[in-house]
């Protein structure tokens, strides 16, 4: 049977989301990151096509949340950022004979089971890559890769087009579905504003409403 694992790389929750410090206190940034991760993880755990969901982290809070939700842990040894965590996870999966990896970050709270299924449906036969871009087409917000080490991934503010170029160079079968929920990663006050204004269906949005974040954002605008 074809094996596909879901991977969520999580850095230390206390160091998350510095670009939101104009709006949120350190505790609020941490709490926001935790509820976003919980939303993403809960969704991933409901995708029947994933054989396993694993959290690549050394953050004790993330490990505890992963265990509570029935996910496995891939210890990253050191917190060297998303690129290093994903590279380590890809290598571990490949060495274990896992054929495919679907990587999603912990800050796309609107992701749905149906969106993940869409990624898996369009994902081609190996060697292949499927990339869901951020709405601004700068970041890569979800990547399915077969085999997991088919392409060295490199994350950052402008990773989408370099990933496309690299995939073409390596001759991979490439798909780039645009998906609304996965497309909104929460990095800036503008992203928060967008999330607050959308119909409430996630823990993250409930948290933002309780903290009256929209009021704060509109005062600052």
């Amino acid at each position: 049977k074809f094996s596909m694992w879901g991977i969520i790389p999580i850095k230390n929750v206390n160091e998350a989301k510095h670009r939101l410090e104009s709006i949120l206190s350190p505790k609020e940034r941490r709490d926001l990151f935790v509820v976003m991760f919980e939303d993403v993880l809960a969704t991933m755990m409901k995708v029947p096509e994933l054989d396993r969901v694993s959290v690549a982290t050394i953050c004790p809070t993330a490990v505890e949340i992963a265990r509570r939700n029935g996910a496995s842990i891939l210890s990253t040894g050191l917190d060297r950022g998303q690129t290093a965590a994903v590279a380590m996870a890809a290598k571990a999966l490949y060495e274990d004979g896992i054929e495919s990896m679907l990587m999603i970050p912990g800050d796309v709270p609107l992701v749905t089971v149906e969106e993940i299924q869409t990624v898996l449906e369009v994902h081609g036969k190996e060697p292949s890559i499927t990339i869901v871009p951020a709405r601004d087409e700068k970041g890569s917000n979800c990547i399915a890769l077969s085999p997991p080490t088919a392409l060295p991934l490199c994350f950052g503010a402008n990773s989408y087009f370099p990933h496309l170029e690299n995939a073409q160079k390596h001759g991979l079968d490439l798909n780039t579905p645009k998906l609304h929920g996965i497309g909104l990663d929460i990095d800036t006050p503008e992203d928060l504003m967008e999330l607050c204004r959308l119909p409430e269906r996630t823990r993250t949005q409930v948290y933002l409403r309780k903290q009256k974040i929209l009021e704060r954002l509109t005062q600052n605008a």
Side-chain angles (χ1 to χ4, degrees):
K1 177 185 172 302
F2 176 75
S3 50
M4 167 72 81
W5 278 33
I7 300 290
I8 309 173
I10 296 290
K11 63 176 176 183
N12 190 314
V13 298
N14 296 320
E15 285 155 32
K17 301 295 155 201
H18 287 293
R19 283 155 74 185
L20 296 173
E21 50 196 4
S22 62
I23 302 288
L24 305 179
S25 71
K27 182 182 184 309
E28 286 172 328
R29 291 203 312 269
R30 178 193 180 281
D31 292 348
L32 171 66
F33 189 64
V34 166
V35 287
M36 290 199 292
F37 169 43
E38 286 175 335
D39 277 331
V40 172
L41 182 57
T43 299
M44 290 282 273
M45 295 303 294
K46 290 190 203 113
V47 179
E49 293 83 353
L50 293 173
D51 296 294
R52 185 176 286 189
V53 175
S54 197
V55 179
T57 193
I58 53 159
C59 172
T61 307
V63 166
E64 197 266 316
I65 293 167
R67 292 220 167 101
R68 198 168 65 223
N69 283 274
S72 64
I73 315 293
L74 266 170
S75 173
T76 51
L78 290 164
D79 192 346
R80 292 195 306 264
Q82 188 178 354
T83 297
V86 172
M88 211 214 65
K91 185 172 177 286
L93 264 54
Y94 182 72
E95 285 168 0
D96 276 349
I98 308 300
E99 291 151 301
S100 297
M101 157 176 99
L102 181 136
M103 190 293 307
I104 193 157
D107 64 351
V108 288
L110 295 177
V111 59
T112 63
V113 171
E114 294 71 27
E115 286 190 338
I116 298 290
Q117 288 173 321
T118 299
V119 173
L120 297 176
E121 274 159 29
V122 303
H123 187 60
K125 294 271 177 284
E126 69 169 75
S128 61
I129 187 166
T130 302
I131 311 175
V132 182
R135 291 185 185 189
D136 59 8
E137 294 202 340
K138 287 182 179 162
S140 310
N141 285 9
C142 173
I143 292 183
L145 195 55
S146 307
T149 52
L151 195 71
L153 301 174
C154 186
F155 297 93
N158 286 308
S159 67
Y160 179 56
F161 286 104
H163 278 149
L164 293 189
E165 237 167 82
N166 219 349
Q168 282 153 350
K169 259 184 224 153
H170 282 71
L172 303 188
D173 180 84
L174 171 66
N175 287 285
T176 56
K178 311 277 191 289
L179 297 164
H180 195 260
I182 294 173
L184 184 64
D185 52 330
I186 307 302
D187 278 322
T188 64
E190 293 71 36
D191 300 334
L192 267 187
M193 182 90 86
E194 170 81 358
L195 185 59
C196 288
R197 288 185 165 153
L198 288 165
E200 192 175 288
R201 56 175 181 78
T202 63
R203 296 174 218 203
T204 304
Q205 289 163 302
V206 171
Y207 173 76
L208 293 170
R209 175 170 50 80
K210 282 188 178 148
Q211 300 300 112
K212 299 193 163 47
I213 300 299
L214 186 58
E215 289 84 330
R216 236 184 277 178
L217 286 160
T218 36
Q219 277 163 10
N220 282 24

